[in-house]
Amino acid sequence: MDDSICPRCKTTKFQNPSLKMMVNVCGHALCESCVDLLFLKGSGACPDCRIPLRRNNFRVQLFEDATVEKEVDIRKRVLRDFNKKEEDFATVREYNDYLEDIETIIYNLVNNIDIVNTNKKIEDYKRNNREQILKSKGKLSREEYELEELLDLEKQQEKMRRNEIKVEEAETKKKKLREKEALIDELMFSNANAKNIVETFAQNAKDTKETETKVAASKVTQFSTGIQFGRQAQSSFLPVPTEEGPAYVYKPITTVTEGPKLPPEEDFAGLGYNNHIRSETEQERAGGFTSNLACMRALQDALAGLYHVKKL
Amino acid sequence: MFPNSTQCKYWMFTSEDELNKLRENANTKHIQMYGRHVNDAHKFDIFLTPDEERLMVRKYELNLRDFCKKFQPPMLRCVVGTAFHYFKRFYIHNSVMNYHPKEIMVTCVFLACKVEEFNVSMTQFLTNIKGDREKASDIILNNELLLMQQLSFHLAIHNPFRPVEGLLIDIKTRCTLNDPERLRPGTEHFLERALLTDAILLYAPSQVALAAVLHAASKLQENLDSYVTDTLFGVEGRGKLEELIEAVRSIRSMVKMADSVIDKNQLKLLEKKLEKCRNPENNPDSEIYKQRMQAMLYDDDEVYSQISSDHQNRDNSALNMSITSPGA
C-alpha cells in the first residue's frame, strides 16, 4: 500500500502519510480529500468511469487491488440474496451446482460480462425465492449459531475469572493490612526483642505466600478457554448422504481357466483332498486361513491353462 | 490365474521358430545400428551370429542355475524360476552384444528375489558374488530399471512349481497310484532342466508341470495315462486331449535336448569375441560408460545432452573403441 497514489490529485503516501484511499462500487480508488471535494453535494460521477456514485457508499480501501474491493462489494450484495445453506439441498451435488451459479454471477458482474442478463437473473431469483430469502435472513445457520454460543460462553467464563481474580486481590490486600497492623501492635505492646518479632512476621508472610502460589498453580490446570469437550458430541449427527445415480448391480465374477473344472470347494473334505495337505494351525485359522484355501490354489494352478494353445 | 496373466498375454510364443526369429531380429538390429560401415560379407567376423548369441545365452543360463544353487541363504525354487523367465524374456528382444549376459544374469536374480519376496539385503546378496562387490552392486542397480523396462514391467511369473503340488495332491486323492511321493525327485529334476529350455516360453506352467509328473512316472515304470484321460480331462476335456498330449510330448523332447553339452573351447572363443564387439556404452569398464554415468549422477544437463548427441553421431562407428572422447 506504500506506493498508493490518488489518480486525481496524484498525492502519494510519501507526501501525505495520513493519505486514505477510498473505493466505491465501481472499484476505482480516490483519496479521502478528493472524495470530500468531489462529492460535496452527496452524490456525483466517478472521475474514471462516469458512473453516478453516492458519497456514503465510499469505504476505506482494504486491498491493494481495487478490483478486489469491487468484487468484495459485489459478493456481499449477491450473497445477501443468494443465502441458501447446505441444509436446504437434498444432495451435495445440487449444493455445489448452486455455489457454482453464484460464482458465475459474481464473476460476470466483476468482469462486466453480460451485465444485463446477469442482473436479470438476480432479479428473477429474488422474485422467485422472496419468501425463502427472508426466512434464511432471519435464521442464522447452524454453524453461525454454534459459533455465537461458543463465543458467549467464553465471554461469560472470562468474566467469571476476572471477578474471581478481583475478589482474591482485594482479600490479599486486606490480609496484608491486617498483618501489618498486627505487627505494629506486637511491636508496641510485646516485651520481646523487636528484631525477633520482625523476623517471625517476615517468616510467616513468606510461608503464606508460598502456600498461596501452590494453590494458584493447582488452579491453572483448568482450561483457559473453558470449552467443554463433550459439547461437540451432543450436536446433531451428520446428515445421511442421499445416493445419486443408478444403483449398483452385482455381476458374478467369471474366470477363464482354460482347463478342466475344479471340484467345488465344499466337496474337498468329502473327496478326501484334506487327507493330503497339512491342516492349518490354530493361529492360522484365527487369521482366516484354512487349509482348503491352499489346496484350492494349488489345484487351480494345476488345472488352469492345461487347455492352453497359443494361436498362430 | 495364468489364463488372464500378462505372462499368458504377452510372453507366450507359438513355436521355437518364432522365438528364434525374434532373436535374429534383435541380432540384425544391433548389427545394423553399430556396424553400418562393416561389409556384409565380413560382419560375422566381428559380430556374433544369432546362433552364437544363443549359445552365449545358454552358457549363462547354466551359470544362472549354478549361481542360484550355491546361493546363501538357500534360495526358493520359485525365485530361480522367476529369474530364468526374466533372463529369457530379456534376450528375446535384446542382443547379447548390447547388454552382457553376466550383468543381466545377476540383475535378474536380484529382481526375482524381490518379486518373489525372498528377502535378502544387497550386502547379503553381494556376498554370493566373487570379485569387486562395489562394482557389482553398481551394475545391478544400474541395470535393474532397464531390465524391468525390457520386461514391460510384467513382473508376475507363474512358475510350474505350485501346479506340481496341485497335481500331486490330486493324484493322491483321485488316483490309485501307490505312494505318489516317489514321483517328487524325478519331477524336480525334470523341472530344473525345463527351465533351461524354451518350453517355459511356449507352454503353460500347468502343462510343464504335467509333463514333469508324467515323465517322473514313466521313469518309475508307472502309468498315469488313465488318470490324465479319464480323471483329469474327463468327458468335457476330451476334445482338448490331443493338443495336450502333443504339448507334453514336445516339452519332454525339448527337455531331453537340454542335456546336450556345449564345447568349452568354443565358448572361450566366443567369450573373447563378445568382449571385442560388445557395446561400449553399456560396458561399465569403458570410458564412454563412465562419462555417461557421471553426467547422469550430477544431472548436468549440458554435459548429458552433449554426450547423448555424441552418442547419436557415433552409433554407427561405435565398434571402433578408440574413438576420441567427447570434449566435455
Side-chain angles (χ1 to χ4, degrees), chain A residues 256-258 260-261 271-273 276-277 295 297-312, chain B residues 1-3 8-9 12 14 162-163 166-167 169-170 172-174 204 206-207 232-233 236-237 240 243-244:
Chain A
V256 191
T257 57
E258 282 198 48
K261 267 208 195 80
L271 289 169
Y273 279 107
H276 304 296
I277 39 174
C295 180
R297 187 169 177 203
L299 285 176
Q300 269 178 348
D301 266 10
L303 299 185
L306 274 184
Y307 297 163
H308 177 82
V309 179
K310 191 81 185 186
K311 301 279 177 318
L312 275 169
Chain B
M1 296 280 279
F2 171 76
C8 179
K9 216 169 172 184
M12 277 292 160
T14 51
R162 201 193 308 277
L167 282 172
I169 293 173
D170 201 43
K172 284 174 196 168
T173 315
R174 295 202 290 181
S206 53
Q207 289 169 335
L232 204 55
F233 273 60
E236 35 157 346
K240 320 266 186 182
E243 279 157 350
L244 181 85

Side-chain angles (χ1 to χ4, degrees), chain B residues 62-325:
Chain B
L62 292 170
N63 280 7
L64 172 60
R65 186 187 63 184
D66 298 340
F67 178 75
C68 290
K69 245 186 210 162
K70 280 191 213 134
F71 198 87
Q72 279 305 325
M75 210 177 246
L76 299 170
R77 285 178 306 166
C78 58
V79 183
V80 188
T82 304
F84 262 104
H85 268 279
Y86 291 163
F87 191 71
K88 281 181 198 294
R89 288 180 183 186
F90 186 86
Y91 283 111
I92 293 173
H93 297 299
N94 289 287
S95 167
V96 173
M97 292 175 281
N98 207 1
Y99 302 102
H100 200 288
K102 78 178 169 207
E103 290 162 13
I104 298 303
M105 181 196 97
V106 278
T107 315
C108 284
V109 178
F110 187 68
L111 185 62
C113 285
K114 287 187 183 179
V115 171
E116 295 294 337
E117 303 189 350
F118 178 70
N119 185 15
V120 281
S121 66
M122 188 48 138
T123 40
Q124 240 178 323
F125 189 88
L126 289 177
T127 50
N128 291 288
I129 291 175
K130 287 175 239 135
D132 188 349
R133 303 227 160 109
E134 193 131 320
K135 200 176 119 194
S137 104
D138 277 349
I139 288 172
I140 291 173
L141 295 179
N142 283 335
N143 282 328
E144 196 181 9
L145 275 179
L146 166 90
L147 172 65
M148 284 200 274
Q149 191 194 17
Q150 292 299 324
L151 298 172
S152 324
F153 301 94
H154 299 145
L155 299 182
I157 300 290
H158 291 258
N159 278 307
F161 304 113
R162 201 193 308 277
V164 163
E165 297 304 320
L167 282 172
L168 285 180
I169 293 173
D170 201 43
I171 289 170
K172 284 174 196 168
T173 315
R174 295 202 290 181
C175 183
T176 51
L177 184 71
N178 175 31
D179 188 16
E181 278 299 317
R182 282 182 301 151
L183 299 175
R184 207 173 272 277
T187 321
E188 269 164 27
H189 183 61
F190 184 90
L191 286 184
E192 196 177 280
R193 285 184 300 156
L195 289 178
L196 295 167
T197 67
D198 285 339
I200 53 174
L201 294 172
L202 300 174
Y203 297 101
S206 53
Q207 289 169 335
V208 177
L210 187 62
V213 172
L214 292 179
H215 178 80
S218 74
K219 274 273 155 76
L220 292 173
Q221 261 104 50
E222 294 281 356
N223 194 345
L224 283 174
D225 288 355
S226 67
Y227 161 73
V228 175
T229 52
D230 300 337
T231 318
L232 204 55
F233 273 60
V235 188
E236 35 157 346
R238 191 74 17 107
K240 320 266 186 182
L241 201 53
E242 217 161 290
E243 279 157 350
L244 181 85
I245 291 169
E246 184 50 45
V248 168
R249 189 176 297 140
S250 81
I251 292 171
R252 282 176 72 173
S253 73
M254 282 168 93
V255 171
K256 211 172 273 170
M257 297 286 288
D259 300 333
S260 62
V261 200
I262 331 173
D263 183 8
K264 282 238 169 77
N265 280 334
Q266 196 195 352
L267 277 184
K268 254 181 212 155
L269 286 178
L270 282 183
E271 199 73 70
K272 265 185 203 149
K273 191 173 169 190
L274 175 60
E275 211 43 59
K276 267 191 210 131
C277 69
R278 68 183 288 199
N279 186 352
E281 282 158 31
N282 298 319
N283 181 357
D285 293 324
S286 75
E287 273 311 309
I288 296 170
Y289 179 86
K290 278 177 194 157
Q291 229 156 20
R292 198 163 61 115
M293 281 299 136
Q294 199 73 9
M296 261 154 79
L297 183 65
Y298 293 117
D299 206 18
D300 196 335
D301 290 336
E302 211 173 294
V303 179
Y304 189 64
S305 65
Q306 192 180 353
I307 287 176
S308 51
S309 70
D310 278 346
H311 169 120
Q312 261 161 12
N313 298 339
R314 197 185 42 226
D315 61 357
N316 41 20
S317 55
L319 229 211
N320 191 357
M321 277 168 59
S322 62
I323 197 126
T324 47
S325 58

Side-chain angles (χ1 to χ4, degrees), chain A residues 35 61 82 101 120 161 202 231 254 262 268 281 288:
Chain A
V35 171
Q61 185 175 356
F82 288 78
D101 271 345
K120 215 168 128 197
R161 246 211 342 258
R231 233 182 135 275
T254 50
L262 210 62
F268 274 19
T281 64

Side-chain angles (χ1 to χ4, degrees), chain B residues 29-56:
Chain B
K29 222 160 93 194
H30 178 84
I31 294 177
Q32 261 172 15
M33 185 94 159
Y34 295 96
R36 241 175 268 167
H37 296 315
V38 184
N39 192 333
D40 256 10
H42 298 293
K43 70 177 179 188
F44 285 125
D45 294 347
I46 300 161
F47 291 110
L48 296 181
T49 65
D51 286 328
E52 287 169 335
E53 276 202 44
R54 225 166 304 144
L55 220 54
M56 287 308 282

Side-chain angles (χ1 to χ4, degrees), chain A residues 1-6 11-14 16-17 19-23 29 59-66 69:
Chain A
M1 287 285 276
D2 282 345
D3 53 350
S4 62
I5 173 167
C6 174
T11 318
T12 62
K13 195 97 183 167
F14 179 72
N16 177 10
L19 178 83
K20 248 192 222 157
M21 299 302 287
M22 315 276 279
V23 282
R59 305 180 280 106
V60 176
Q61 185 175 356
L62 289 175
F63 299 98
E64 191 164 359
D65 189 347
E69 289 287 347

Side-chain angles (χ1 to χ4, degrees), chain A residues 186-187 189-197:
Chain A
E186 197 69 25
L187 282 174
F189 304 114
S190 168
N191 297 328
N193 194 345
K195 203 175 170 189
N196 276 354
I197 294 170

